[in-house]
Amino acid sequence: MTEQPKPREVFIQGITTDGRTFRPSDWAERLAGAMSCFRPGGVKTGRDAHIGYSPYCVPRVINGVKCVIVSEALKSVEPMAWDFVMNFARDNKLQVVDACLLPDPPTAGPTPR
């Protein structure tokens, strides 16, 4: 049995192609907020509904640069949402990088005696 490859991630950086910081300063949170309803299992309603970002589209600050990390899995969940975020980046001339966010290394446990 072969392991399925993990969907790649696209980093939309808050730096324009001419090197300027993109404004407004909360652009990443706004974009990720617009995509918050696209999540595994769909949107929850009622008492158990919580405000939060979709795991497919999350804002982050990486090396001091605001970014939105978009999982390629969004393309299969909702192709129009994928097109929306990619067109947002293109229309605003934002730098886009194909990458993969690596998990934090495991912390060392207690040493045996």
Side-chain angles (χ1 to χ4, degrees), residues 16-32:
T16 61
T17 53
D18 62 1
R20 287 186 272 172
T21 300
F22 184 64
R23 298 282 179 228
S25 61
D26 65 345
W27 74 270
E29 293 83 1
R30 289 183 187 198
L31 180 59

Side-chain angles (χ1 to χ4, degrees), residues 11-90:
F11 289 32
I12 301 173
Q13 300 178 326
I15 303 289
T16 61
T17 53
D18 62 1
R20 287 186 272 172
T21 300
F22 184 64
R23 298 282 179 228
S25 61
D26 65 345
W27 74 270
E29 293 83 1
R30 289 183 187 198
L31 180 59
M35 296 292 108
S36 65
C37 61
F38 301 105
R39 55 183 66 242
V43 178
K44 290 187 179 182
T45 59
R47 203 169 99 179
D48 293 328
H50 300 284
I51 295 173
Y53 297 116
S54 165
Y56 303 125
C57 188
V58 292
R60 291 282 187 267
V61 176
I62 300 174
N63 294 330
V65 176
K66 281 208 172 194
C67 301
V68 173
I69 302 171
V70 185
S71 172
E72 191 178 49
L74 179 62
K75 192 186 300 186
S76 53
V77 171
E78 181 50 68
M80 289 174 57
W82 172 265
D83 290 343
F84 177 81
V85 295
M86 294 295 102
N87 288 333
F88 176 88
R90 186 197 68 225

